[in-house]
């Protein structure tokens, strides 16, 4: 095995085995080889093994390296080459590192352990069945370290969860949680550094720990499983009968095995996740996918049923919900399933076009009707003839145009700007808004007669945060889409990322989720995207509320949802919820007060 002998001034030379395809060198802890020198960059250089030869290269012009006294940009290193980075010298060897007698020969533990690691890696290269792989890993760890028990702990969110607990006889340990020290695990989780304790009961830091005292722990080793600096899990081994069992060479061996195991576990988790996904998708595909819409929660299933019922009619539909929930996809699906599907599906965003141009966009204009009208132009109504017109953000439509829109809907005729002759149009209108149109009617900003003309059937799209497992389904669909589009190596999400996605409130809904995933796919080179890659750190997750406040927030959102389903009918909403109508009136007064306070703040 190729090795690098590092000569740090004032320290005993240290040997690093180059067992990875890419080995990073720098002064911060995330590197494979840490070089404590202020002249060295955070990640200064890397050594790449292409299967035949080793090449060393700096990460930039600002991080120079010297090989045999000469500055190099990229260099194939050979037996005996001397490398200098900053003030630190290194020697490269393709085979065994020559160790002078005074430095001591390798221990039998090291020799045997490296042989077993090599054999183990050969076995696991072909193994992706997760349970078998993890059990085999821990059995080999116990054998190598002479421990009498071993535990594999993987992180799920911020919580360490025991995945494997094995004893010397290669049996599962039933009461695994009671066999571990919480305080020792907590330190490794916090520091992400290996820990060796020769006699836990006599250790100054842990002797007062209840878990240590209750378990009467003796020798303990605990090393982190890291994936590019992110904590993936922990390997924990112990022996309650022998003190001073583990020495520094023991933890070095275990750290090397943990580094190799991290890669194998990451790949196995990914393959296992993909297998589970395929099984899940094959069994529930029709329930989860509705045209281009993805979702399996009860609210979305109810929407699918409603769309199926109304699609074959020409009835007007109003789609409501927060921004980014997919209102245009629902409108498109209604059109696709209707008897107008061979006709055009025309969209206009009423909030994105200046007011002075909006009438022309809707109804068209004749040549010379206004400055800049150099030719006669059809409007969206004429373009949608024989098909469906989707009026997005209908709540932004000015009052003067609301009158003309109402006439067009009632009489099925439109008149171009600058012309007196009306034209017949055969269209179906679907509208959408993220506003409360009943509230807008109360303010005099929206016509009540137009509201009832548009809102024959209402479809309310729930926000993403209320759709449960749909968040994960949509995220995996978007990941697959952008991986193919951008040629990324990402293949899934880490357990931490999935938990973070479920906790995040997603105020921008699916559109915001899509932006986070696209950014992560572009910037990350990991196979499994982490919460940090998605920008979902603990700082951006919603605060944990006191139970009373959480109940109040849920009740507020739920009342608003039922009001929307009942088209703002307060009496019916009170009857459906089994409360006094005055409760709904007080709720609406409080909502108005909250909105006014928000307006005043701005």
């Amino acid at each position: 095995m190729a090795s690098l002998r590092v000569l740090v001034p004032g320290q005993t030379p240290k040997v690093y085995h180059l067992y990875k395809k890419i080995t990073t060198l720098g002064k911060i802890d995330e590197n494979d080889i840490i070089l404590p020198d202020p002249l060295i960059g955070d990640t200064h250089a890397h050594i790449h093994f292409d299967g035949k030869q080793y090449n060393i290269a700096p990460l930039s012009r600002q991080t120079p390296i010297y090989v045999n006294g000469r500055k190099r940009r990229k260099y194939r290193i050979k037996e005996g080459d001397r490398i200098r980075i900053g003030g630190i010298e290194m020697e490269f060897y393709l085979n065994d590192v020559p160790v002078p007698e005074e430095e001591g020969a390798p221990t039998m533990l090291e020799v045997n352990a490296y042989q077993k690691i090599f054999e183990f890696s050969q076995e696991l290269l072909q193994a992706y069945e997760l349970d078998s792989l993890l059990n085999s890993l821990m059995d080999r760890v116990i054998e190598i370290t002479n421990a009498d028990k071993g535990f594999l702990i993987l992180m799920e969110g911020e919580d360490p969860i025991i995945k494997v607990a094995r004893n010397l006889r290669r049996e599962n340990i039933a009461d695994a949680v009671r066999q571990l020290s919480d305080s020792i695990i907590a330190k490794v989780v916090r520091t992400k550094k290996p820990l060796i304790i020769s006699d836990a009961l006599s250790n100054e830091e842990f002797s007062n720990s209840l878990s240590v005292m209750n378990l009467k722990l003796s020798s303990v080793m605990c090393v982190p499983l890291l994936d590019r600096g992110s904590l993936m899990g922990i390997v924990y081994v112990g022996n309650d009968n022998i003190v001073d069992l583990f020495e520094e060479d023991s933890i070095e061996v275990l750290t090397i095995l943990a580094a190799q195991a991290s890669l194998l576990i990451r790949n196995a988790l990914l393959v296992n996740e993909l297998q589970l996904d395929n099984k899940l998708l094959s069994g529930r595909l029709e329930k989860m996918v509705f045209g281009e819409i993805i979702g399996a929660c009860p609210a979305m299933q109810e929407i699918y049923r409603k769309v199926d019922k109304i699609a074959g009619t020409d009835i007007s539909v109003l789609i409501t919900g927060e921004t980014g929930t997919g209102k245009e996809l629902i409108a498109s699906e209604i059109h696709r399933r209707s008897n107008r599907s061979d006709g055009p599906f025309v969209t206009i965003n009423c909030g994105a076009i200046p007011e002075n141009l909006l009438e022309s966009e809707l109804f068209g204009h004749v040549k010379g009707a206004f400055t800049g009208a150099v030719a006669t132009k059809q409007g969206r109504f004429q373009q949608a003839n024989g098909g469906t017109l989707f009026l997005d953000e209908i709540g932004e439509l000015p009052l003067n145009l609301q009158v003309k829109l109402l006439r067009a809907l009632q009489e099925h005729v439109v008149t171009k700007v600058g012309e007196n002759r009306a034209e017949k149009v055969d269209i179906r209108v679907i509208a959408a808004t993220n506003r409360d149109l009943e509230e807008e009617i109360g303010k005099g900003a929206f016509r009540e007669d137009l509201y009832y003309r548009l809102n024959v059937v209402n479809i309310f799209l729930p926000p993403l945060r209320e759709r449960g497992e749909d968040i994960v389904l949509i995220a995996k669909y978007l990941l697959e889409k952008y991986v193919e589009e951008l040629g990324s190596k990402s293949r899934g999400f880490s357990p931490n990322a999935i938990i973070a996605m479920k906790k995040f409130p997603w105020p921008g809904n699916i559109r915001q989720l899509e932006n986070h995933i696209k950014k992560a796919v572009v910037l990350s080179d990991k196979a499994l995207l982490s919460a940090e890659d998605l920008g979902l750190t603990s700082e951006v997750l919603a605060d944990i509320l006191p139970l009373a406040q959480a109940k109040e927030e849920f009740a507020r959102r739920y009342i608003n949802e039922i009001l929307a389903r009942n088209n703002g009918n307060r009496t019916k909403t009170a009857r459906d919820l089994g409360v006094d109508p005055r409760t709904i009136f007080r709720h609406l007064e409080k909502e108005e007060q909250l909105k006014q306070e928000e307006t005043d703040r701005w």
Side-chain angles (χ1 to χ4, degrees), residues 84-100:
R84 180 168 61 83
I85 298 179
I88 296 178
E89 296 278 346
M90 289 165 277
E91 298 170 348
F92 175 76
Y93 298 94
L94 277 172
N95 299 302
D96 294 337
V97 179
V99 182

Side-chain angles (χ1 to χ4, degrees), residues 198-270:
S198 298
D199 186 356
L201 286 171
S202 302
N203 184 276
E204 186 175 326
E205 182 177 357
F206 297 106
S207 59
N208 292 325
S209 165
L210 286 176
S211 58
V212 169
M213 289 190 292
N214 291 338
L215 291 169
K216 298 180 181 179
L217 295 177
S218 294
S219 300
V220 176
M221 272 199 305
C222 203
V223 299
L225 294 167
L226 298 174
D227 179 17
R228 297 183 182 271
S230 298
L231 184 66
M232 188 167 65
I234 295 167
V235 173
Y236 178 115
V237 295
N239 192 308
D240 298 340
N241 302 311
I242 305 172
V243 297
D244 298 321
L245 174 64
F246 305 127
E247 299 176 353
E248 287 302 320
D249 56 355
S250 304
I251 205 163
E252 285 187 21
V253 169
L254 187 56
T255 301
I256 291 172
L257 179 57
Q260 189 180 41
S262 296
L263 299 173
L264 295 165
I265 292 171
R266 184 186 68 183
N267 290 338
L269 285 171
L270 177 58

Side-chain angles (χ1 to χ4, degrees), residues 344-487:
F345 177 75
V346 178
T347 297
I348 182 168
N349 188 324
C350 301
I353 300 172
E355 184 176 341
N356 60 328
L357 299 177
L358 189 53
E359 182 177 1
S360 170
E361 283 294 320
L362 282 170
F363 307 121
H365 63 257
V366 296
K367 181 179 179 180
F370 51 84
T371 303
V374 296
T376 298
K377 177 188 172 184
Q378 283 193 332
R380 301 298 173 89
F381 267 81
Q382 293 95 332
Q383 293 170 10
N385 193 38
T388 303
L389 177 64
F390 176 53
L391 300 172
D392 200 7
E393 303 299 345
I394 190 68
E396 309 289 336
L397 195 68
L399 275 170
N400 65 314
L401 286 179
Q402 290 179 28
V403 177
K404 296 181 179 181
L405 176 60
L406 179 62
R407 177 174 178 262
L409 295 177
Q410 289 176 331
E411 300 177 14
H412 302 287
V413 296
V414 294
T415 304
K416 290 188 177 79
V417 177
E419 187 175 63
N420 294 322
R421 182 177 60 86
E423 299 177 54
K424 276 276 187 185
V425 287
D426 173 25
I427 62 171
R428 179 191 195 160
V429 171
I430 301 174
T433 182
N434 59 7
R435 291 192 176 192
D436 184 340
L437 293 187
E438 289 218 342
E439 185 178 308
E440 297 297 307
I441 291 169
K443 294 178 182 177
F446 202 85
R447 293 180 62 93
E448 188 172 15
D449 48 3
L450 177 59
Y451 172 71
Y452 287 116
R453 171 65 65 175
L454 293 170
N455 192 31
V456 178
V457 172
N458 177 260
I459 294 178
F460 172 73
L461 287 181
L464 187 59
R465 60 184 169 274
E466 295 177 9
R467 290 178 57 180
E469 290 297 322
D470 282 3
I471 294 175
V472 181
L473 294 173
I474 295 169
K476 289 177 178 176
Y477 167 79
L478 293 172
L479 177 64
E480 184 178 335
K481 171 185 173 183
Y482 287 118
V483 162
E484 183 176 351
E485 182 179 314
L486 301 171

Side-chain angles (χ1 to χ4, degrees), residues 2 53 86 100 104 201 304 437 521 544 560:
Q53 57 193 29
L201 286 171
Y304 300 161
L437 293 187
V521 168
I544 297 175
N560 286 337

Side-chain angles (χ1 to χ4, degrees), residues 7 62 91 165 184-185 202 252 296 304 340 386 435 468 509 520 579:
L7 311 169
Q62 287 71 44
E91 298 170 348
I184 293 174
I185 291 172
S202 302
E252 285 187 21
Y304 300 161
R340 295 176 175 270
R435 291 192 176 192
N509 292 290
V579 298

Side-chain angles (χ1 to χ4, degrees), residues 23-293:
T23 302
T24 58
L25 302 90
K27 67 182 179 184
I28 62 174
D29 292 347
E30 283 76 9
N31 291 289
D32 300 306
I33 299 177
I34 302 167
L35 305 175
D37 187 319
L39 298 176
I40 293 175
D42 288 349
T43 299
H44 195 102
H46 68 259
I47 297 173
H48 175 234
F49 178 58
D50 62 8
K52 295 182 179 179
Q53 57 193 29
Y54 291 82
N55 294 280
I56 187 167
L59 260 64
S60 70
R61 294 183 182 274
Q62 287 71 44
T63 57
I65 60 170
Y66 297 84
V67 182
N68 300 327
R70 295 184 61 183
K71 187 176 181 180
R72 302 287 187 178
R73 283 292 299 152
K74 181 179 179 182
Y75 186 77
R76 193 185 85 167
I77 45 180
K78 302 178 291 296
E79 180 79 11
D81 279 346
R82 292 184 67 86
I83 302 162
R84 180 168 61 83
I85 298 179
I88 296 178
E89 296 278 346
M90 289 165 277
E91 298 170 348
F92 175 76
Y93 298 94
L94 277 172
N95 299 302
D96 294 337
V97 179
V99 182
E101 284 299 319
E102 61 270 21
E103 293 184 20
T107 65
M108 284 303 294
L109 170 66
E110 289 176 301
V111 174
N112 291 335
Y114 291 140
Q115 179 62 33
K116 288 175 181 176
I117 289 172
F118 175 76
E119 293 170 358
F120 178 58
S121 64
Q122 294 300 307
E123 293 173 17
L124 295 190
L125 282 174
Q126 306 301 322
Y128 283 109
E129 203 285 312
L130 189 60
D131 292 339
S132 173
L133 184 148
L134 298 183
N135 286 338
S136 178
L137 169 67
M138 288 315 303
D139 289 341
R140 196 60 61 98
V141 166
I142 292 170
E143 179 184 355
I144 289 172
T145 59
N146 294 318
D148 61 8
K149 58 184 176 181
F151 306 86
L152 178 68
I153 301 162
L154 296 182
M155 301 301 295
E156 292 187 3
E158 296 179 359
D159 301 321
I161 305 298
I162 301 171
K163 292 296 183 181
V164 178
R166 304 281 279 181
N167 62 25
L168 191 58
R169 296 183 296 278
R170 300 196 172 195
E171 299 168 340
N172 291 326
I173 299 175
D175 55 344
V177 176
R178 299 182 183 179
Q179 301 283 326
L180 294 164
S181 168
D182 295 338
S183 55
I184 293 174
I185 291 172
K187 181 170 182 179
V188 177
V189 169
R190 185 175 66 253
T191 63
K192 298 182 184 177
K193 292 184 178 179
L195 183 63
I196 183 170
I197 302 171
S198 298
D199 186 356
L201 286 171
S202 302
N203 184 276
E204 186 175 326
E205 182 177 357
F206 297 106
S207 59
N208 292 325
S209 165
L210 286 176
S211 58
V212 169
M213 289 190 292
N214 291 338
L215 291 169
K216 298 180 181 179
L217 295 177
S218 294
S219 300
V220 176
M221 272 199 305
C222 203
V223 299
L225 294 167
L226 298 174
D227 179 17
R228 297 183 182 271
S230 298
L231 184 66
M232 188 167 65
I234 295 167
V235 173
Y236 178 115
V237 295
N239 192 308
D240 298 340
N241 302 311
I242 305 172
V243 297
D244 298 321
L245 174 64
F246 305 127
E247 299 176 353
E248 287 302 320
D249 56 355
S250 304
I251 205 163
E252 285 187 21
V253 169
L254 187 56
T255 301
I256 291 172
L257 179 57
Q260 189 180 41
S262 296
L263 299 173
L264 295 165
I265 292 171
R266 184 186 68 183
N267 290 338
L269 285 171
L270 177 58
V271 172
N272 189 66
E273 181 186 20
L274 293 174
Q275 288 172 342
L276 289 175
D277 282 353
N278 288 337
K279 186 176 180 180
L280 176 68
L281 289 172
S282 62
R284 298 175 58 200
L285 187 61
E286 290 188 4
K287 290 184 178 180
M288 290 192 300
V289 178
F290 188 78
E292 295 184 8
I293 307 158

